[in-house]
């Protein structure tokens, strides 16, 4: 541990910023070397006559800057700049240096920051004031919906601007769509292992959600048809691209079979296609096969940039008045300024550039998974943002989540994705894009692999 301690009289207010700046300068000057352990929070607080909370805030500032990192049970250490993210922000959850493999989100780095900074500079010089002053039309500005026509064609959907509603991402579109076509007590069917937000949303809206049996492609046509025979099914909600425990692409034949059943029993379809054009080769959307009864949702969030919360809802003309009414109640309209950024990036090719970058980086992460988890039962796809890891019989999902947490790794348990009809699922979901640096990602997988090779132990021995 370092013996370097700043002096109390050198501090200014706010104290935590001043402490962080002194430590930053010491790291830059080489007074604190790479790998050196910083003083414990209490020790530094006592030496400087400040609160432990103040020191914690100072360390948090340095962690966010990527200069230091915590290791569970060991302390806080100076990081090697060459081994940390060079971006001016950190995606990784910083609480005690947790390697967060629990949230399926895309990667990003300085390329994204540079593109966003350039876009904001352009907006400051040539943005039409109508964009940031707009409060109508509620479905979105015409030029933004026209850009949506271009983006949606990359997703395999050919539509007119008149059928497009701008949204603040797929989650916004999902709540708008479902509340437009289903009422309390109506039955919605989906995969037995489902999108966790459709489970929550149906519960909030008082809608009865029924999970249908599935295979590696998704919902089984026979299960869908049987549900339609037994019940008055109102909506079929599906994520046919890289979802479910198999993380696979639903085939063209399966999509066509499900559409035939939906038409036969007059069931509406809500298709969540959040990954948009990220998979390089895939069948056309279900909504392209049945545009008269489908609501299609996609966004830029998962395949271009996490903070670019702009998306599209495509619906038949007959549903647009109801959808617009729900949109007004929930948010009045999607944020025009964000829609403007997305539209510009679609037109100038930036969105395509970032999709290609994302596709390449996610494929590299899957290569790491294939190396580290050789011999274990896992399912994934080179364009997916997560994998499902099926556990050896000595482990339960709850045990592995708890033991991984004790080692500083966060993985997602299956329960949030399981409908009421789902049989127990002994697996965990592992995100491949939540950790910015590939070495940290590999480290997280290595720790999990080490757990899988042995039996669970009493957790107090690990804490």
């Amino acid at each position: 541990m370092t013996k370097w301690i700043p002096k109390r009289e050198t501090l200014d207010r706010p104290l935590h910023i001043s402490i962080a700046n002194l430590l930053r300068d010491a790291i830059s000057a080489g007074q604190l070397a790479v790998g050196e352990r910083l003083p414990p929070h209490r020790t530094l607080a006592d030496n400087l006559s400040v609160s432990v909370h103040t020191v914690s805030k100072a360390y948090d500032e340095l962690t966010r800057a990527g200069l230091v990192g915590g290791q569970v049970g060991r302390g806080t250490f100076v990081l090697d700049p060459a081994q940390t993210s060079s971006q001016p922000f950190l995606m990784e959850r910083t609480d005690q240096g947790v390697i967060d493999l629990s949230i399926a989100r895309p990667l990003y780095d300085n390329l994204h920051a540079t593109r966003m900074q350039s876009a904001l500079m352009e907006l400051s010089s040539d943005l039409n004031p109508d964009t940031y002053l707009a409060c109508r039309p509620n479905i979105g500005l015409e030029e933004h919906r026209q850009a949506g026509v271009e983006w949606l064609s990359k997703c395999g959907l050919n539509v007119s601007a008149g059928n497009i509603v701008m949204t603040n991402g797929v989650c916004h579109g999902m709540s708008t769509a479902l509340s437009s076509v289903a009422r309390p007590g109506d039955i919605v069917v989906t995969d037995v292992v489902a999108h966790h937000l459709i489970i929550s949303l149906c519960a909030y809206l008082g809608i009865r959600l029924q999970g249908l049996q599935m295979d590696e492609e998704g919902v089984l046509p026979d299960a869908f048809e049987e549900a339609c025979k037994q019940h008055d099914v109102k909506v079929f909600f599906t994520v046919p691209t890289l979802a479910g425990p198999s993380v696979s692409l639903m085939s063209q034949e399966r999509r066509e079979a499900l559409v035939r059943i939906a038409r036969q029993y007059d069931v509406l379809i809500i298709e969540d296609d959040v990954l948009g054009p990220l998979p390089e080769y895939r069948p056309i959307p279900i909504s392209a096969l049945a545009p008269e009864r489908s609501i299609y949702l996609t966004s830029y969030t998962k395949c271009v940039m996490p903070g670019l919360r702009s998306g599209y809802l495509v619906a038949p003309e007959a549903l647009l008045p109801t959808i617009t009414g729900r949109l007004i109640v929930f948010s009045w309209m999607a944020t025009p300024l964000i829609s403007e950024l997305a539209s510009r990036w679609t037109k100038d090719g930036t969105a395509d550039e970032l999709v290609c970058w994302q596709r390449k980086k996610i494929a590299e992460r899957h290569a790491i998974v294939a190396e580290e988890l050789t011999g274990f039962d896992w399912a994934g796809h080179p364009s997916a943002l997560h994998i499902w890891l099926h556990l050896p019989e000595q482990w339960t999902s709850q045990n592995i989540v708890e033991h991984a947490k004790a080692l500083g790794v966060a993985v997602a348990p299956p329960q949030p994705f399981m409908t009421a009809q789902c049989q127990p699922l002994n697996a965990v979901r592992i995100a491949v894009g939540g950790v910015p640096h590939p070495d940290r990602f590999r480290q997280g997988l290595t720790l999990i692999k080490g757990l899988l090779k042995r039996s669970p132990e009493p957790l107090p021995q690990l804490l």
Side-chain angles (χ1 to χ4, degrees), residues 65 86 120 136 172 212 217 264 284 364:
S86 59
L120 294 175
R136 285 187 176 86
H172 180 209
L212 303 180
E217 289 190 31
Q264 180 180 351
I284 63 173
E364 290 173 359

Side-chain angles (χ1 to χ4, degrees), residues 123-124 126-135 141 144 335-338 340:
L123 287 176
S124 69
D126 64 9
L127 180 64
N128 185 332
D130 289 346
T131 302
Y132 54 81
L133 294 174
C135 61
L141 300 179
H144 296 161
T335 308
L337 192 59
I338 302 300
E340 175 71 16

